[in-house]
């Protein structure tokens, strides 16, 4: 497991490689690693997905539960995000060591998903205005960390939201402005989240020397001075921007980086969506024919 | 409101099993590329993943022992693992108790005197909770430790058993556990038959204790065969890749 230290010689090697558009593993500056994405692994969760981006491994479970509305927004549902880094990802995450990074990632994910930029129709999640609503709990667990964590988490969250099914509710009017609701137990009647396809993914650009790259490995991440996370949705709109790490960006470079991120996000989103929809169509086919649907989950070969 | 019948007069339980049947177990080792050893086990609907790092340099120098390695176990439950979503803190008492239990189960089995002043880390993740958590964790930990190449005296196989209406039953699921059934978890070393861990929740009459323990021991032997097979398969796969 690589230690979070890097020697000047290694740093120089990485910087020069990036200058030449040839990184240590042969990729160009704006190329992603191999992505393996699978959804629907956990039967007890409302939706789930697991993504391996290179060696980074993230599992997201979505649970949909009935809760009370927020008094400031009594007509909409809520989304609660939570990210936990498992100590299996790095020795520094043992005990309370992961608290800092958990908080940072949770708040970043929250920034993307809490609000109209998430694209999710929160009004549809409201059951009885002023009383009850559906609360979507997004729990991400980082199992293995090999660079570019946040992008991986957002990609997996999007797939998990696509996979999530919300049970149908029947509302009864008791008169006097009082309402009661019943949850329909039939799984077939459960609906998918409206607006999941308008949710953003994030593209994080890491500035190293004078160039910027995407999807770094851990060593490359250690060389970068500034990172810029841009959330982009399917229509090419920017849903959130965040600059992190110590360092500064020249304003002209900033505009260029944002433009670059938007250009990179569109084809990635298209490919992800195509694959997700294809996968789901296959699963429905199998269900219709009565064939068992096998999810690989953690049984997928690694070595 | 009809009472849930845990054991029908024909001898069938809620999920259609007989009293002495285990749930379906599927397991795999070497799930992670970064961990020294890892294992994933699915026992019915309970899904558990264990990653082992070690022996490696201890994180806190003051805690090292001069003559052997220390074992550090951390147990983490995913918030989406139970039917109600609940976020558990790392210092949750139940999690800490389980972690201590597992550490005490493995301390006599791992040959820690071969690695003085170092640390063996066992990180357990629970993704789905459907009963039999302690036994799945112990089984998965055994496999992960073997996958990491850490020398042990023997497998440690665990199995839970209970008693429904005076009939000893094997491998309780969540419904049966929450219905106030006495649950006994037993971990043993299959070759010698020595018992490493016995844990009983709820009340059990002393006359039934022996039959329940015997049933759990049977279950352990069955699980041992399965785990042995899985490990050999994975080793063959690795050997195949090495020769290719």
């Amino acid at each position: 497991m690589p230690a979070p230290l890097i020697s000047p010689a290694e740093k120089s090697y990485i910087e020069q490689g990036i200058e030449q558009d040839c990184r240590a593993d042969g990729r160009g500056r704006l190329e992603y690693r191999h992505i393996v994405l699978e959804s629907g692994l956990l039967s007890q969760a409302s939706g789930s997905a697991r993504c391996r981006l290179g060696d980074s491994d993230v599992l997201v479970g979505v649970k949909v539960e009935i809760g009370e509305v927020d008094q400031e927004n009594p007509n909409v549902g809520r989304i609660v995000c939570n990210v936990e880094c498992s100590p299996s990802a790095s020795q520094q995450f043992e005990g309370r060591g992961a608290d800092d990074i958990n908080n940072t990632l949770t708040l970043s994910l929250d920034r993307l998903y809490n609000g109209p930029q998430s694209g999710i129709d929160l009004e549809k999640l409201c059951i009885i205005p002023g009383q009850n609503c559906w609360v979507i709990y997004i729990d991400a667990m980082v199992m293995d960390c090999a660079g570019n964590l946040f992008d991986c988490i957002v990609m997996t969250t999007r797939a998990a939201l696509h996979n999530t099914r919300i049970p149908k509710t029947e509302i009864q009017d008791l008169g006097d402005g009082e309402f009661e609701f019943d949850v329909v137990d039939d799984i077939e009647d459960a609906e998918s989240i409206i607006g999941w396809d308008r949710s953003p993914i994030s593209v994080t650009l890491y500035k190293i020397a004078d160039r910027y790259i995407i999807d770094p490995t851990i060593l490359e991440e250690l060389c970068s001075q500034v990172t810029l996370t841009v959330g982009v949705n399917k229509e090419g709109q920017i849903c959130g921007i965040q600059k992190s790490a110590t360092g500064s960006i020249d304003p002209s470079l900033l505009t260029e980086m944002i433009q670059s991120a938007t250009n990179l996000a569109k084809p990635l989103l298209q490919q992800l969506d195509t694959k997700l929809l294809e996968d789901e169509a296959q699963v429905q086919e199998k269900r219709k024919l009565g064939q068992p649907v096998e999810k690989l989950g953690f049984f997928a070969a690694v070595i | 409101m009809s009472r849930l019948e845990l054991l029908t007069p024909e001898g069938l339980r809620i999920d259609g099993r007989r009293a002495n049947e285990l749930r379906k177990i599927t397991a795999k080792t070497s799930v992670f590329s970064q961990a020294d050893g890892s294992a994933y086990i699915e026992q019915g609907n309970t899904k558990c993943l264990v990653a082992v790092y070690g022996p490696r340099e201890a994180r806190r120098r003051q805690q090292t022992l001069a003559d052997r390695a220390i074992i550090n176990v951390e147990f983490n439950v995913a918030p989406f693992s139970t039917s109600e979503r609940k976020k558990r803190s790392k210092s949750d008492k139940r999690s800490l108790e389980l972690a201590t239990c597992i550490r005490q189960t493995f301390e006599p089995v791992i040959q820690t005197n071969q690695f003085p002043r170092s640390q063996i880390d066992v990180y357990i993740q629970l993704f789905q909770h459907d009963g039999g958590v302690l036994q799945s964790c112990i089984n998965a930990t055994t496999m992960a430790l073997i996958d990491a190449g850490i020398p042990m005296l023997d497998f440690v196989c665990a199995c839970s058993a209970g008693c429904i209406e005076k009939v000893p039953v094997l491998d309780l699921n969540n419904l049966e556990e929450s219905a106030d059934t006495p649950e006994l978890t037993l971990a043993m070393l299959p070759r010698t038959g020595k018992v490493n861990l016995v844990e009983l929740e709820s009340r059990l009459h002393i006359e039934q204790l022996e039959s329940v323990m015997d049933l759990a021991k049977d279950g352990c032997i069955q699980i041992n065969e399965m785990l042995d097979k899985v490990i050999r398969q994975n080793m063959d796969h690795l050997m195949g890749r090495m020769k290719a």
Side-chain angles (χ1 to χ4, degrees), chain B residues 117-242:
Chain B
R117 280 179 287 272
S118 50
Q119 182 175 323
I120 298 175
D121 291 306
V122 178
Y123 301 125
I124 307 174
Q125 292 275 8
L126 189 69
F127 292 141
Q128 232 174 250
H129 187 321
D130 191 26
V133 165
L134 183 55
Q135 55 162 340
S136 311
C137 292
I138 294 181
N139 293 331
T141 310
T142 307
M143 287 205 294
L145 286 167
I146 296 178
D147 189 47
I150 294 176
M152 301 204 293
L153 293 174
D154 196 357
F155 271 73
V156 181
C157 295
C159 194
S160 70
C163 205
I164 302 176
E165 285 157 27
K166 311 240 170 116
V167 177
V169 289
L170 190 62
D171 196 5
L172 306 171
N173 64 18
N174 204 14
L175 268 166
E176 291 164 346
E177 264 179 26
S178 29
D180 216 14
T181 323
E183 186 199 359
L184 175 95
T185 307
L186 190 100
M188 66 183 247
L189 310 179
R191 277 194 296 190
T192 49
K194 286 197 180 159
V195 169
N196 250 15
L197 168 90
V198 177
E199 199 195 55
L200 172 68
E201 301 215 354
S202 190
R203 298 174 307 179
L204 181 66
H205 201 286
I206 194 102
E207 285 170 14
Q208 278 134 18
L209 181 64
E210 198 172 328
S211 49
V212 171
M213 275 182 76
D214 282 337
L215 190 59
K217 281 192 199 160
D218 271 336
C220 285
I221 310 252
Q222 285 180 43
I223 292 183
N224 178 38
E225 283 171 11
M226 268 182 257
L227 296 186
D228 193 81
K229 207 163 70 165
V230 168
I231 297 211
R232 280 177 206 274
Q233 264 177 1
N234 276 297
M235 275 305 138
D236 283 336
H237 173 74
L238 266 178
M239 298 289 283
R241 293 296 295 239
M242 271 168 64

Side-chain angles (χ1 to χ4, degrees), chain A residues 189-231:
Chain A
D189 274 343
E191 310 161 324
S192 48
I193 298 182
I194 300 170
W196 75 268
D197 53 337
R198 288 196 346 258
S199 63
I201 61 160
S202 78
V203 177
T204 309
L205 299 162
Y206 295 77
K207 179 168 175 286
I208 297 179
D210 289 325
R211 313 279 186 164
Y212 52 86
I213 58 168
I214 61 164
D215 196 19
T217 58
I218 294 198
L219 291 175
E220 290 169 349
E221 231 179 67
L222 290 168
C223 294
S224 76
Q225 305 107 0
V226 199
T227 69
L228 184 76
T229 307
V230 184

Side-chain angles (χ1 to χ4, degrees), chain A residues 63 65 86 88 94 139 302, chain B residues 31 53 72 82 85 123 125:
Chain A
K63 277 209 95 98
E65 289 192 351
S86 157
S88 59
E94 215 182 293
D139 293 298
V302 160
Chain B
V31 175
Y53 282 93
N72 175 36
T82 45
R85 186 247 184 203
Y123 301 125
Q125 292 275 8

Side-chain angles (χ1 to χ4, degrees), chain A residues 108-164:
Chain A
S108 306
L109 194 64
D110 200 53
R111 206 168 289 134
L112 264 186
Y113 278 97
N114 240 327
Q117 74 278 7
S118 69
I120 296 176
D121 197 339
L122 292 174
E123 279 186 25
K124 291 259 160 58
L125 295 177
C126 185
I127 308 175
I128 301 174
Q131 281 182 326
N132 303 93
C133 64
W134 286 113
V135 186
I136 301 180
Y137 289 102
I138 302 176
D139 293 298
M141 309 209 77
V142 177
M143 315 296 316
D144 214 347
C145 173
N148 204 19
L149 262 186
F150 190 62
D151 286 0
C152 193
I153 295 176
V154 179
M155 229 187 287
T156 323
T157 309
R158 195 159 187 278
L161 286 173
H162 161 76
N163 183 246
T164 308

